[in-house]
Amino acid sequence: MTDQELYEAAAAASQAAYAPYSKFLVGAAALMRDGRVVTGVNVENASYPVGICAERCAIARAVVEGAKPGDFEAIGITASPCGACRQWLHEFRFDRVAFMHEGELLVRRPDELLPDSFEL
Ligand code: THU
């Protein structure tokens, strides 16, 4: 699956986002090393800070299915990942992060998105 196709899967998934407050629908599609694609959407809440971003939703779904750091090849996202999501992308050791930014599909490594990142 190409990064463009992964982005298109994220865009299709975004239609299911629950974003009644911002009305900003975000989709993410994680490509697993075994070929599976796991999607996520942003899920907002009336208590604004407890909402979850699309990327973390997709990663958490994959973890429920047994995924571990290193099992993730790439992720397509319809928006530039926020700082918290960049930390998650680093934690789960994605090879590539493909995201739409100012009308262009950018492809970056997690360490480019979060240099000198925190680890335990
Ligand atoms: N959002 C994401 O889903 N992913 C990001 O990395 C950036 C922000 C969501 C959170 C919120 O529901 C909406 O976009 C507006 O900030």
Side-chain angles (χ1 to χ4, degrees), residues 22 24 26 42 44 53-55 80-82 85:
S22 72
F24 187 74
V26 184
N42 54 330
E44 297 184 346
C53 291
E55 301 91 311
S80 178
C82 77
C85 288

Side-chain angles (χ1 to χ4, degrees), residues 11-68:
S14 72
Q15 294 311 301
Y18 177 71
Y21 305 105
S22 72
K23 311 219 185 304
F24 187 74
L25 310 185
V26 184
L31 175 63
M32 313 305 297
R33 293 204 192 281
D34 64 12
R36 282 179 304 134
V37 174
V38 182
T39 58
V41 297
N42 54 330
V43 182
E44 297 184 346
N45 192 275
S47 175
Y48 291 1
V50 305
I52 188 168
C53 291
E55 301 91 311
R56 282 177 283 154
C57 174
I59 294 167
R61 279 182 87 184
V63 168
V64 170
E65 300 298 326
K68 301 276 185 292

